[in-house]
Amino acid sequence: MVRRNTLALIPLLFGAWFFFGLAPYGIHVGEDGDLLYQMFATYRGKLPYVDFSTGYTPLYFYWHAALFWLFGVDALWTRLCVAFANTLSLYFLYRIATRLVKPALALLAPLLFVGSLLAYPGDFCTFNAPYPAWYNIVLWLGSIAAVGTHMDRARPSRLALAGLLAGLSFSVKPNIGLFNLAALSFFVLWWHAPRADAGKLARALWQGLALATIAGILGVFWSRLGTREFELFPLPMLVLAGVLLLNGHRAPGRPGFVGATVALAAGFALPTVPWLIYFLLRLGVHSFLRDVMMVGSSYELFFYIGHRWLWTQWDMGLLAIAVGLAVVPFALQRKLVAPWMPVAAGAAAAVMAGLYIGVFAPMPAGFYLAVSSRVQDLAFFIIHAVNWCALVLIAREVTRHPARRSAFLGAWVLVGLSATGFVLGMYPRSDFMHLLISSPASMIVAVALLGRVLRRWQAALPHGARWRWTAVALVIGPSVVIAIVMASRSVGMAANLYSYYLDLRADPLVRMNLPRASLITEPESARRFHDLHDAAQYIDQHSAPEDFVFPFPNLNLLCFLSGRLNPAAKGYFHPGFPDHPAEAEIVSSLRQRAPRMVLGLHGHELFITTSPLYYFLIRDFVRRNYDLAARIGPYDVLTRRDGGVQPVAYQSASAPSAPVAPAAPDDDAWKGLDDPDLQVQFETAKRIGSQRDPLGAVALARRALKPSPYRVLFLRIVQEIGDERAVPALVEIARRGMNDAGQEAANALFFIAGKSFLEDYWFTTDA
């Protein structure tokens, strides 16, 4: 117990150092902006679903509005709150894992979580953005911990606490909260399964809760029945629940089912029923189902990202390694192989892997991105493989011993249900970010599975400390090494910031210097901060606090930074979402509450770049009534023709009106691209990308005409930031053949052509 509690300080102290140290770092215009604006709008008295559209539930907005009321409107307060939640998540990951493995091995669970976090130097950290998911994770893990104490001491109050945490999770993001409640319900149905001779109330309640929980999951995924998505997401949880319910029907569990169910339901109802009733009465049934519960909305259709296909060669290779690790101990116990043989094979595999990585592996963007991209791709296979392994183990245990309800087996069941339930949150957006926030319980399961394999190895190998640590190196070592490599970028960013905090660096950090954004970045990433600062200052100086400002297609961040409200219910536009009827409503709102300013984007941003092409009603309204007043970095500020702000003369940096000559970049500015030191080439290319310099893209395209191990990286940066001036070099590369570089050059030509076409549909353009 003392050792377990002492080791618990490691995730707590590291989490505080890591998350709080990085809290003020960077910002993402889209990901941060929409959330911060909606918190600010709530603080200003606006109602979710009525005054602005959102896919999240009210507690999320009112909690952050309360932070603004207590401490002032500043994005940093939301960051600090998320940092606290993430630190607690590391702690809960460790404490829950200690129920299944030894304390030292349990530290692997928070390490895996930190290694999976996404951070982008010079840009932002995903775990800083105040996503509801970070609260969902800590609340779900907290509910597992609460039920764990109930298993130890049979305290219904702990079940009420677990229900309360699930209710809070539902009040932040509805689907995750419901999946959390479903996992807890299935556990109660198994752990407290009533006896066959129990009263009619208990049996009827047991059957009703089982059917309602299954029906709820099927209802969410009703449109996906019989599809691949149904097999990937709800099927594992439903299979596990079916095994547990059949076992509960065969053998009763601990007494107190009715009390446990009432406690769980009461806890869930406490934070949810008040706001559910309020918004149901305020919105009406149809709008409530569509806007709050997303039933019948187009969200699923337009934000769908399909799960990658499984059973690739890499998947099969990883599965073969896992099967080998699980099977070899049986061969050792039966004397089929000598103990030195698997050790020699592991050493040989490590040497071969090192040779492949050091000599043969393609790494156009460097070692870290090569490793992390491969691991992130494999994670889509690993999470399902881990969950199905847990399902099989649990099914075997509860089938062999139907009456068994030990705390250890209970922990397995609870974590297994949570792992399969968490994964439901990956649908409909099955990208790595949503996999990460859906995998904390699966990480605990993975560590527990590794612990089982490690025990088999240590039992099969000869006794002694040397052989024991050999088993640890073979079974646990690869996961630890990969997790450390994956975590190295974000941990390095934190360490770099602390060198600034402690005045160990001569160059000062760049601060946004806005009252609503006490944020920082490195000097080499100052341009984005300066553009946001200048744009927010311009809006503040040329409008009043009561004036409306309309952002398009995803510039709500500037409304937040300048303290202005959006007259429309939406400030995030992706082609098809919102649809054209909603677009007409937005135009009506703009006519009724004419905005003093309209904010536009004359740069190309991934995911929303084609929005002006789709929203022709909004574009027509803006072009009829507004003129360009200022162009600040990638942002256009337009004012009403009767608004009293004189339009300014400007020269577009991204879309010149005259035909573009094949401009030559300043060779001195980017001479590092020709440096014989490959690291200098790499850093120069990354700097061009971070500064989004189109002339730098020309230099990159021309440099890609000559051999370099980073040619593919150069061309990928050109795809993102290049314009017509890079075309001659790209054409020459593509003409040489469709190898990797030729294909990337062709892709860059396609993107540049698309950009050139779309510029005609911006609010203001001189293309």
Side-chain angles (χ1 to χ4, degrees), residues 90 93-94 97 104-114 440 443-444 447:
L90 294 188
L93 282 166
Y94 167 78
L105 181 55
L107 290 171
L108 180 57
L111 177 60
L112 291 173
F113 185 74
V114 172
M443 293 177 184
I444 299 173
V447 172

Side-chain angles (χ1 to χ4, degrees), residues 20-172:
F20 284 92
L22 281 168
Y25 180 80
I27 197 165
H28 190 281
V29 174
E31 302 297 338
D32 283 279
D34 217 39
L35 300 174
L36 288 170
Y37 171 76
Q38 291 173 355
M39 299 169 191
F40 174 71
T42 306
Y43 166 78
R44 287 280 298 266
K46 302 302 179 181
L47 277 176
Y49 319 114
V50 176
D51 296 305
F52 61 86
S53 299
T54 178
Y56 305 130
T57 26
L59 178 63
Y60 172 74
F61 302 107
Y62 285 101
W63 164 249
H64 290 100
L67 291 179
F68 291 160
W69 182 76
L70 288 171
F71 304 110
V73 180
D74 192 336
L76 183 59
W77 294 117
T78 70
R79 302 281 189 90
L80 295 175
C81 189
V82 169
F84 180 73
N86 286 332
T87 300
L88 282 182
S89 292
L90 294 188
Y91 174 77
F92 281 133
L93 282 166
Y94 167 78
R95 294 308 294 248
I96 295 167
T98 57
R99 289 184 167 272
L100 301 173
V101 297
K102 293 181 179 179
L105 181 55
L107 290 171
L108 180 57
L111 177 60
L112 291 173
F113 185 74
V114 172
S116 302
L117 296 172
L118 299 175
Y120 301 95
D123 196 354
F124 79 119
C125 301
T126 56
F127 49 87
N128 277 348
Y131 293 126
W134 305 124
Y135 298 110
N136 292 132
I137 290 172
V138 70
L139 291 168
W140 194 321
L141 294 174
S143 73
I144 296 175
V147 174
T149 59
H150 169 71
M151 289 190 297
D152 296 334
R153 301 180 184 178
R155 292 182 175 178
S157 61
R158 301 298 182 179
L159 283 178
L161 175 60
L164 174 68
L165 295 174
L168 293 174
S169 184
F170 175 78
S171 301
V172 167

Side-chain angles (χ1 to χ4, degrees), residues 445-688:
V445 171
V447 172
L449 292 173
L450 286 173
R452 289 176 66 93
V453 174
L454 177 61
R455 289 194 297 272
R456 291 189 180 278
W457 273 84
Q458 290 178 336
L461 288 172
H463 297 294
R466 181 183 301 175
W467 286 106
R468 187 167 63 253
W469 284 105
T470 299
V472 172
L474 284 170
V475 178
I476 309 299
S479 298
V480 173
V481 171
I482 292 172
I484 290 174
V485 170
M486 294 284 289
S488 62
R489 168 181 277 187
S490 55
V491 173
M493 290 169 62
N496 185 49
L497 283 186
Y498 276 101
S499 70
Y500 283 102
Y501 298 155
L502 299 173
D503 291 327
L504 301 178
R505 301 285 294 267
D507 48 338
L509 284 168
V510 174
R511 303 182 183 276
M512 191 168 286
N513 286 328
L514 288 171
R516 296 176 181 84
S518 302
L519 306 179
I520 58 175
T521 192
E522 301 97 338
E524 55 268 24
S525 305
R527 176 178 173 180
R528 191 160 44 90
F529 267 35
H530 292 328
D531 290 341
L532 287 169
H533 173 274
D534 294 347
Q537 288 284 85
Y538 184 92
I539 297 166
D540 184 61
Q541 292 168 4
H542 294 85
S543 65
E546 64 273 11
D547 287 334
F548 290 109
V549 172
F550 177 64
F552 182 93
N554 190 16
L555 296 178
N556 261 333
L557 178 63
L558 286 173
C559 287
F560 170 79
L561 294 177
S562 59
R564 302 298 185 262
L565 291 177
N566 180 353
K570 297 183 184 295
Y572 179 92
F573 296 89
H574 175 257
F577 187 87
D579 55 19
H580 286 308
E583 181 190 12
E585 294 177 5
I586 291 168
V587 173
S588 296
S589 299
L590 297 179
R591 289 180 177 137
Q592 295 167 8
R593 297 186 291 273
R596 168 81 164 176
M597 293 179 173
V598 172
L599 307 177
L601 187 69
H602 72 264
H604 293 278
E605 292 288 337
L606 185 67
F607 192 63
I608 60 172
T609 184
T610 56
S611 294
L613 188 64
Y614 180 84
Y615 295 99
F616 57 89
L617 293 177
I618 292 175
R619 192 176 69 249
D620 181 69
F621 174 83
V622 172
R623 286 185 170 182
R624 286 175 180 272
N625 297 284
Y626 290 82
D627 290 318
L628 181 66
R631 173 161 285 180
I632 303 169
Y635 312 115
D636 285 342
V637 183
L638 297 89
T639 58
R640 292 201 310 268
R641 293 198 173 113
D642 60 352
V645 178
Q646 185 67 27
V648 299
Y650 72 94
Q651 176 60 44
S652 169
S654 59
S657 55
V660 181
D666 182 353
D667 292 336
D668 290 336
W670 305 118
K671 61 183 179 181
L673 293 174
D674 289 309
D675 196 285
D677 187 337
L678 294 178
Q679 186 62 30
V680 174
Q681 293 184 27
F682 179 81
E683 295 298 334
T684 305
K686 298 297 287 186
R687 190 166 67 254
I688 291 172

Side-chain angles (χ1 to χ4, degrees), residues 1-9 94 102-105 107 469:
M1 180 66 72
V2 174
R3 186 165 184 262
R4 184 179 69 174
N5 292 337
T6 302
L7 289 177
L9 294 175
Y94 167 78
K102 293 181 179 179
L105 181 55
L107 290 171
W469 284 105

Side-chain angles (χ1 to χ4, degrees), residues 62-397:
Y62 285 101
W63 164 249
H64 290 100
L67 291 179
F68 291 160
W69 182 76
L70 288 171
F71 304 110
V73 180
D74 192 336
L76 183 59
W77 294 117
T78 70
R79 302 281 189 90
L80 295 175
C81 189
V82 169
F84 180 73
N86 286 332
T87 300
L88 282 182
S89 292
L90 294 188
Y91 174 77
F92 281 133
L93 282 166
Y94 167 78
R95 294 308 294 248
I96 295 167
T98 57
R99 289 184 167 272
L100 301 173
V101 297
K102 293 181 179 179
L105 181 55
L107 290 171
L108 180 57
L111 177 60
L112 291 173
F113 185 74
V114 172
S116 302
L117 296 172
L118 299 175
Y120 301 95
D123 196 354
F124 79 119
C125 301
T126 56
F127 49 87
N128 277 348
Y131 293 126
W134 305 124
Y135 298 110
N136 292 132
I137 290 172
V138 70
L139 291 168
W140 194 321
L141 294 174
S143 73
I144 296 175
V147 174
T149 59
H150 169 71
M151 289 190 297
D152 296 334
R153 301 180 184 178
R155 292 182 175 178
S157 61
R158 301 298 182 179
L159 283 178
L161 175 60
L164 174 68
L165 295 174
L168 293 174
S169 184
F170 175 78
S171 301
V172 167
K173 192 169 185 282
N175 60 334
I176 303 299
L178 286 178
F179 300 148
N180 189 359
L181 179 64
L184 297 176
S185 299
F186 284 135
F187 177 82
V188 168
L189 287 164
W190 170 74
W191 185 261
H192 288 291
R195 299 173 60 88
D197 58 354
K200 290 183 179 180
L201 174 63
R203 299 302 300 176
L205 182 60
W206 190 86
Q207 294 170 0
L209 180 60
L211 290 174
T213 308
I214 293 173
I217 295 175
L218 290 175
V220 173
F221 290 91
W222 185 256
S223 64
R224 313 309 299 171
L225 287 177
T227 66
R228 178 171 173 267
E229 283 80 10
F230 185 83
E231 297 171 0
L232 288 171
F233 300 118
L235 183 61
M237 187 180 199
L238 291 174
V239 171
L240 180 54
V243 170
L244 296 172
L245 292 174
L246 288 174
N247 180 78
H249 186 73
R250 289 172 56 198
R254 301 287 179 89
F257 170 72
V258 174
T261 304
V262 170
L264 181 65
F268 185 83
L270 184 63
T272 58
V273 169
W275 70 260
L276 284 171
I277 293 175
Y278 174 81
F279 281 101
L280 181 61
L281 295 176
R282 179 66 186 261
L283 300 173
V285 174
H286 176 73
S287 295
F288 177 85
L289 291 175
R290 182 194 63 198
D291 298 335
V292 180
M293 305 308 293
M294 309 301 286
V295 176
S297 73
S298 57
Y299 175 87
E300 177 182 340
L301 175 64
F302 287 102
F303 288 87
Y304 174 81
I305 297 177
H307 192 289
R308 83 151 172 87
W309 290 99
L310 303 181
W311 306 110
T312 64
Q313 290 182 342
W314 281 91
D315 295 343
M316 297 299 291
L318 183 64
L319 181 62
I321 293 172
V323 171
L325 284 174
V327 169
V328 168
F330 294 100
L332 288 169
Q333 289 175 331
R334 290 165 174 76
K335 311 296 184 183
L336 298 177
V337 296
W340 63 269
M341 294 176 66
V343 177
V351 171
M352 292 175 62
L355 284 174
Y356 172 73
I357 293 172
V359 179
F360 302 106
M363 294 186 286
F367 173 75
Y368 173 82
L369 287 177
V371 173
S372 61
S373 61
R374 177 57 60 194
V375 173
Q376 290 172 13
D377 179 68
L378 285 172
F380 288 91
F381 175 77
I382 293 171
I383 190 171
H384 297 292
V386 163
N387 289 351
W388 276 102
C389 285
L391 193 158
V392 171
L393 287 174
I394 293 169
R396 186 183 67 176
E397 289 298 317

